[in-house]
Amino acid sequence: MAHRWTNTLTRNDITPKALWLNRRAVLGGMAAGGLAGGIAAPAAAQSAPLEPNTLEEIRSYNNFYEFGTGKGDPAENAGAMQTDPWQVTVDGLVDNPGTYALDDLIGDMTIEDRIYRFRCVEAWSMVVPWNGFELGDLLQKLGPQEGAKFIAFETAVIPEVMPGVRRRVLDFPYVEGLRLDEAMHPLTLMATGLYGEPLANQNGAPLRLVVPWKYGFKSIKSIVRITLTDEMPPTTWNRLNAREYGFYSNVNPNVDHPRWSQASERVIGGGLFSSRQDTLMFNGYPEVAPLYEGMDLSVAY
Ligand SMILES: Nc1nc2c(c(=O)[nH]1)N[C@H]1C(S)=C(S)[C@@H](COP(=O)(O)O)O[C@H]1N2
Ligand SMILES: [Mo]
């Protein structure tokens, strides 16, 4: 695995992150501290080193409703899913459509290590040391066409091994999407592993999206279809309850879920002692703010 370290927050490596943020700020045309409307999160919170959750925690506390709605269900059931061979269909407004064997699609991508905050809309959070590649790199290879404005994703549906699909706990296949500029943002990752190990099935093997500034449900797992489109695609949770789950769903401590506060989050791990911490605007990734210029961030989208 070729490793290129960018945007990493490690326990003992704070300075490179600070430099990286500064570089991003310059590239993004943001004046230091110059974001209006309280978008920029406190500097101290931004640069604090992140302590990743343990592999055990990340693999045992999951949301993957195809395998059941309990947090332990995916770990118990997802092992039965066959992830090799795996095919991904690419279609829509794209120069290189087709049904690809996974390795033909992503075998030449550069795998990086990215330690990201992960914030579920249910107000819990983890820190995950992902391995993956930038979705933008894959998109460059696939060649989005002129009219493409959105990207849509679809998860595998394999009823024989997916009890949640058999019980129809959601309308499957699970679908998600991003605006194309969000998809091209360098923070947007396609994960293939974590902690240097292949993804466990419950984490979305063999290929899952990771969008660290959005609520976790945007990070769709076990992807079998990628579609480039000119229309905002339907998304599973939005379709189920549009009032509670928007298409954008950027992490925002100032906009509560209709049924609970989003101002703080329960940190998973730490043994018997669960702690709470303040939730950060854009989950602590203020460099994405320019993507939403002109949008009223006091309302949920
Ligand atoms: N296909 C699919 N993808 C999914 C989900 C799901 O139920 N099905 N749950 C989402 C939610 S709500 C969260 S919080 C994350 C959880 O990822 P993790 O279990 O790897 O932490 O996956 C997201 N991706
Ligand atoms: Mo979630």
Side-chain angles (χ1 to χ4, degrees):
M1 235 193 271
H3 280 105
R4 177 155 64 96
W5 285 83
T6 61
N7 185 43
T8 51
L9 292 137
T10 66
R11 267 156 285 197
N12 43 19
D13 204 14
I14 304 167
T15 306
K17 173 60 182 175
L19 288 172
W20 187 90
L21 274 175
N22 190 42
R23 187 171 69 86
R24 283 283 172 240
V26 171
L27 288 175
M30 309 189 301
L35 286 167
I39 286 168
Q46 296 310 309
S47 57
L50 293 180
E51 187 72 41
N53 281 84
T54 65
L55 186 60
E56 171 60 23
E57 286 160 355
I58 296 166
R59 287 183 171 178
S60 60
Y61 190 91
N62 300 101
N63 277 332
F64 198 164
Y65 276 23
E66 286 84 338
F67 294 101
T69 53
K71 293 289 182 280
D73 291 344
E76 193 173 315
N77 299 324
M81 178 170 62
Q82 181 72 250
T83 61
D84 183 17
W86 191 267
Q87 292 184 330
V88 180
T89 297
V90 177
D91 58 10
L93 300 171
V94 67
D95 288 338
N96 300 304
T99 293
Y100 294 85
L102 185 65
D103 196 57
D104 294 338
L105 185 69
I106 68 167
D108 59 345
M109 296 287 114
T110 301
I111 303 296
E112 305 181 26
D113 299 319
R114 301 275 183 104
I115 302 178
Y116 281 164
R117 297 180 188 86
F118 186 87
R119 170 61 156 82
C120 176
V121 74
E122 299 163 333
W124 53 264
S125 73
M126 292 193 194
V127 173
V128 184
W130 302 106
N131 316 120
F133 57 88
E134 291 186 11
L135 176 55
D137 288 348
L138 178 62
L139 279 169
Q140 210 154 24
K141 179 170 127 173
L142 296 176
Q145 292 177 346
E146 192 62 24
K149 292 191 176 64
F150 294 90
I151 182 167
F153 302 91
E154 194 177 302
T155 294
V157 180
I158 314 167
E160 305 76 57
V161 296
M162 293 176 164
V165 168
R166 292 198 297 271
R167 290 204 310 273
R168 301 168 193 262
V169 301
L170 282 176
D171 189 12
F172 296 109
Y174 194 100
V175 289
E176 258 304 337
L178 298 170
R179 221 170 52 193
L180 200 54
D181 59 342
E182 298 178 311
M184 303 286 280
H185 193 280
L187 285 173
T188 303
L189 203 68
M190 293 291 267
T192 55
L194 58 90
Y195 271 116
E197 309 241 10
L199 283 181
N201 288 358
Q202 59 266 35
N203 292 119
L207 183 66
R208 64 93 55 89
L209 180 67
V210 179
V211 194
W213 71 93
K214 291 179 180 287
Y215 290 118
F217 65 82
K218 298 293 296 180
S219 294
I220 183 174
K221 296 177 169 182
S222 304
I223 293 165
V224 293
R225 183 182 294 271
I226 299 174
T227 305
L228 278 292
T229 168
D230 58 352
E231 279 174 36
M232 185 181 280
T235 60
T236 289
W237 285 99
N238 179 252
R239 210 160 46 185
L240 187 78
N241 189 337
R243 204 175 74 87
E244 299 194 351
Y245 309 102
F247 176 83
Y248 286 94
S249 288
N250 296 318
V251 175
N252 187 340
N254 307 312
V255 177
D256 289 338
H257 186 279
R259 290 183 283 131
W260 57 83
S261 168
Q262 295 292 27
S264 68
E265 60 206 43
R266 182 170 54 93
V267 180
I268 300 300
L272 293 172
F273 310 96
S274 78
S275 61
R276 290 198 79 84
Q277 64 187 19
D278 288 348
T279 292
L280 300 172
M281 186 67 204
F282 294 121
N283 203 27
Y285 301 95
E287 59 266 50
V288 302
L291 293 171
Y292 308 105
E293 235 165 83
M295 276 172 71
D296 179 0
L297 296 176
S298 69
V299 293
Y301 291 96

